Amino acid sequence: MRNVTRDTLTQTFLDYCGAETDPRLRSVLESLVRHLHAFAMENNLTHAEWRKGLELLTKAGEITDSERNEFVLFSDVLGLSSLVDMINSPDDCTPSSVLGPFHILGAPDLPVGGDLKGDNDGPTVIVSGIVSEPDGTPIKGAEIEIWQTADNGLYSNQDPEQPEYNLRGHMVVGDDGRYLFTTIRPQPYAVPDDGPVGELLHATGRHPWRPSHLHFIITAPGYRSLVTEVFPSDDPYLDADAVFGVREKLIMVYEKQSAGDPVPSGLAAGDALTDPYYKVDFDFVLVREA
Ligand code: BEZ
Ligand code: FE
């Protein structure tokens, strides 16, 4: 096509894709380019605006390294990461939510009833629940990975003062599907806003804060893996998460307990709970792999 016009450009692009193009790639690209061209036309995009967009992407490339991925962060603050989660989360299981950039492999084993709190400051929380199928059948041997922020709102891999695997654990549940551990209350934190994502947030009057949360990855052979987060009901940012990760079904309630109140059996830190503490019960539902 030599005389490409506004009206023929999208179709011309599609015609240029060869017969060998993978059908799924063709259909996703077709849709992407159709929306991209429609976006530019709908907004009468100026050269200056087009350049600004490319400048933000260029800066994202410059700031991205093995520790920080600004493109993922763009996807997070634009709601794309959460939308992909929603599209791929079956209705009858616990909703998934963003993985985030602070997960690391190799978290140490934590027995059921184990203690993640260790020497960390902050109020103790006993977290427990069941991993089950939608009908309530416990999933024996399900594996749970947990990670969270310390009392200063930083993950261990953001903070040289914390041991590498601070507040991270890997638990295998028993025949009853039950998990149980002690930890501290995680703290809200701000996503990095010193790069192009921050520029976008500031230009649109948005803050970079996320409500506090516990991260979980739950896996079991034959079941769809679940990557999710659980948020306390009293967090000030619950309705203003910068990355849109909160779902009603992912809200947990801290129940305040007095020092000396009975603790669940098998709790490693049981005798050490001499101060008031909190309890949280949260169950996870996995569905079988299709
Ligand atoms: C997190 O939950 O760790 C996170 C998620 C998205 C962006 C930044 C952090
Ligand atoms: Fe997080």
Side-chain angles (χ1 to χ4, degrees):
M1 166 73 73
R2 70 173 60 176
N3 184 25
V4 182
T5 67
R6 291 167 64 124
D7 296 331
T8 59
L9 180 62
T10 308
Q11 189 56 48
T12 306
F13 169 86
L14 297 173
D15 293 344
Y16 282 1
C17 295
E20 69 278 26
T21 313
D22 172 83
R24 173 66 180 169
L25 175 62
R26 178 187 289 275
S27 94
V28 171
L29 259 186
E30 170 173 352
S31 171
L32 174 68
V33 168
R34 204 177 291 291
H35 283 89
L36 198 59
H37 292 180
F39 157 78
M41 288 198 274
E42 211 176 285
N43 291 286
N44 280 322
L45 203 65
T46 65
H47 278 102
E49 289 162 344
W50 169 74
R51 269 197 303 275
K52 182 70 199 174
L54 294 181
E55 185 198 308
L56 285 179
L57 292 175
T58 305
K59 284 190 191 162
E62 285 164 0
I63 211 169
T64 293
D65 59 20
S66 59
E67 303 286 309
R68 171 170 182 175
N69 191 321
E70 197 77 357
F71 294 101
V72 177
L73 196 54
F74 261 126
S75 164
D76 294 341
V77 303
L78 291 173
L80 181 60
S81 310
S82 282
L83 192 56
V84 173
D85 279 339
M86 291 172 202
I87 293 167
N88 292 284
S89 199
D91 284 342
D92 48 354
C93 70
T94 303
S96 60
S97 186
V98 288
L99 172 69
F102 302 117
H103 173 251
I104 50 177
L105 295 172
D109 288 336
L110 182 72
V112 176
D115 179 46
L116 268 190
K117 176 174 178 183
D119 295 333
N120 285 277
D121 290 332
T124 303
V125 190
I126 302 177
V127 189
S128 66
I130 304 284
V131 181
S132 77
E133 297 194 29
D135 67 1
T137 308
I139 302 178
K140 301 175 194 175
E143 298 189 37
I144 304 186
E145 258 192 84
I146 308 143
W147 71 106
Q148 66 167 96
T149 51
D151 207 38
N152 61 2
L154 296 174
Y155 289 91
S156 63
N157 49 348
Q158 292 178 291
D159 180 3
E161 300 299 313
Q162 294 181 44
E164 187 179 5
Y165 287 106
N166 192 39
L167 294 165
R168 296 171 188 270
H170 165 260
M171 183 174 289
V172 181
V173 305
D175 288 355
D176 54 2
R178 184 161 176 263
Y179 74 90
L180 169 70
F181 59 95
T182 37
T183 186
I184 54 162
R185 284 179 70 140
Q187 294 298 325
Y189 61 85
V191 303
D193 65 344
D194 56 345
V197 166
E199 212 181 302
L200 178 75
L201 293 177
H202 302 149
T204 53
R206 284 177 58 185
H207 67 71
W209 288 88
R210 297 212 63 204
S212 60
H213 51 268
L214 296 170
H215 284 277
F216 291 92
I217 297 179
I218 308 194
T219 52
Y223 294 85
R224 275 180 76 127
S225 300
L226 175 67
V227 177
T228 196
E229 324 169 83
V230 179
F231 305 86
S233 58
D234 60 357
D235 193 286
Y237 293 106
L238 202 59
D239 292 304
D241 182 3
V243 305
F244 310 98
V246 181
R247 317 272 175 271
E248 192 67 43
K249 284 184 176 170
L250 295 178
I251 295 177
M252 61 179 173
V253 179
Y254 288 134
E255 291 173 44
K256 194 155 192 191
Q257 310 289 303
S258 303
D261 280 355
V263 299
S265 64
L267 196 69
D271 293 341
L273 299 187
T274 49
D275 293 322
Y277 62 94
Y278 296 90
K279 242 169 63 174
V280 162
D281 258 306
F282 193 89
D283 295 338
F284 293 98
V285 177
L286 302 192
V287 285
R288 286 191 185 269
E289 226 147 29

